[in-house]
Amino acid sequence: GNSVTQMEGPVTLSEEAFLTINCTYTATGYPSLFWYVQYPGEGLQLLLKATKADDKGSNKGFEATYRKETTSFHLEKGSVQVSDSAVYFCALSDNYGQNFVFGPGTRLSVLP
Amino acid sequence: IAGITQAPTSQILAAGRRMTLRCTQDMRHNAMYWYRQDLGLGLRLIHYSNTAGTTGKGEVPDGYSVSRANTDDFPLTLASAVPSQTSVYFCASSDSVGETQYFGPGTRLLVL
């Protein structure tokens, strides 16, 4: 079945550091890939997405590139801020009428 | 536009009691979902509805039931609550199956 694997957290960084959160997936066909962010006490919000191989999703300084050859969708940001502290979820949708599969989430803490 | 609303925001419930969590969306989305979020387990799908009048079981459906009488509402019922149902419950919707999901703010439920 479909699955998503994320790097174990928590991740703690200093402000302005470079961020990478790894995400790899297993799926049939050509899934759509997503990153969601959950701020403390809130629901999940879509951060970015990519629907086909080599697409790059970007938003709020975050980027992720759909790499079919490595089945990966790693999240990156060049300079994190304290306000980026949240839990980040990688997810996929296989476009065959199946529902989303979410990764376990990676908690990011950014220190001033 | 409110998006997705959930009620109540939080609830303390005695074991054995019946409880309905409400979810309403105003985006005219066809598909709706219920997830529970538990520490260390990420998001798990309880039930889903691809369109009004239809429902399906997710990963963890036992002890829960849903109905989808119209497009906007997707209530989740716990017929006889047990402590293991203590969790944060999120409702979500998408224009169609496999598309971006939009989440409500969540309901925090404590079953004693």
Side-chain angles (χ1 to χ4, degrees), chain B residues 4-104:
Chain B
I4 297 184
T5 57
Q6 292 185 236
T9 302
S10 64
Q11 182 74 44
I12 299 174
L13 188 66
R17 297 295 296 270
R18 180 184 179 89
M19 174 76 187
T20 295
L21 280 58
R22 299 185 297 280
C23 174
T24 299
Q25 54 103 357
D26 63 3
M27 297 175 283
R28 308 303 293 173
H29 283 171
N30 288 306
M32 296 187 75
Y33 315 85
W34 274 105
Y35 294 91
R36 59 177 291 173
Q37 185 178 32
D38 303 291
L39 192 63
L41 294 174
L43 284 163
R44 293 184 291 172
L45 182 67
I46 303 171
H47 284 286
Y48 64 92
S49 169
N50 290 342
T51 189
T54 69
T55 62
K57 295 181 179 180
E59 180 184 356
V60 288
D62 293 343
Y64 306 94
S65 63
V66 292
S67 61
R68 187 90 185 276
N70 58 61
T71 297
D72 299 343
D73 301 302
F74 192 43
L76 176 73
T77 297
L78 289 66
S80 178
V82 295
S84 62
Q85 292 177 309
T86 293
S87 187
V88 181
Y89 291 86
F90 289 99
C91 181
S93 72
S94 64
D95 189 33
S96 61
V97 174
E99 295 297 318
T100 300
Q101 293 189 10
Y102 297 87
F103 284 77

Side-chain angles (χ1 to χ4, degrees), chain A residues 20-34:
Chain A
T20 299
I21 300 178
N22 290 338
C23 171
T24 57
Y25 67 90
T26 301
T28 55
Y30 302 92
S32 295
L33 302 173
F34 305 80

Side-chain angles (χ1 to χ4, degrees), chain A residues 7-56:
Chain A
M7 63 187 293
E8 293 284 333
V11 174
T12 302
L13 296 173
S14 298
E15 203 165 26
E16 299 184 1
F18 184 86
L19 168 71
T20 299
I21 300 178
N22 290 338
C23 171
T24 57
Y25 67 90
T26 301
T28 55
Y30 302 92
S32 295
L33 302 173
F34 305 80
W35 276 102
Y36 280 81
V37 59
Q38 184 180 30
Y39 299 104
E42 299 184 9
L44 278 72
Q45 304 173 26
L46 178 67
L47 182 59
L48 52 84
K49 70 177 184 180
T51 58
K52 61 181 186 296
D54 299 325
D55 269 3
K56 177 185 286 186

Side-chain angles (χ1 to χ4, degrees), chain A residues 55-94:
Chain A
D55 269 3
K56 177 185 286 186
S58 61
N59 185 27
K60 299 181 181 180
F62 291 89
E63 293 183 340
T65 301
Y66 189 140
R67 300 289 188 197
K68 186 166 178 61
E69 64 276 14
T70 55
T71 62
S72 65
F73 193 53
H74 304 322
L75 182 68
E76 297 181 338
K77 187 175 184 180
S79 176
V80 293
Q81 305 300 311
V82 172
S83 58
D84 293 327
S85 298
V87 181
Y88 292 81
F89 293 89
C90 186
L92 71 81
S93 168
D94 70 5

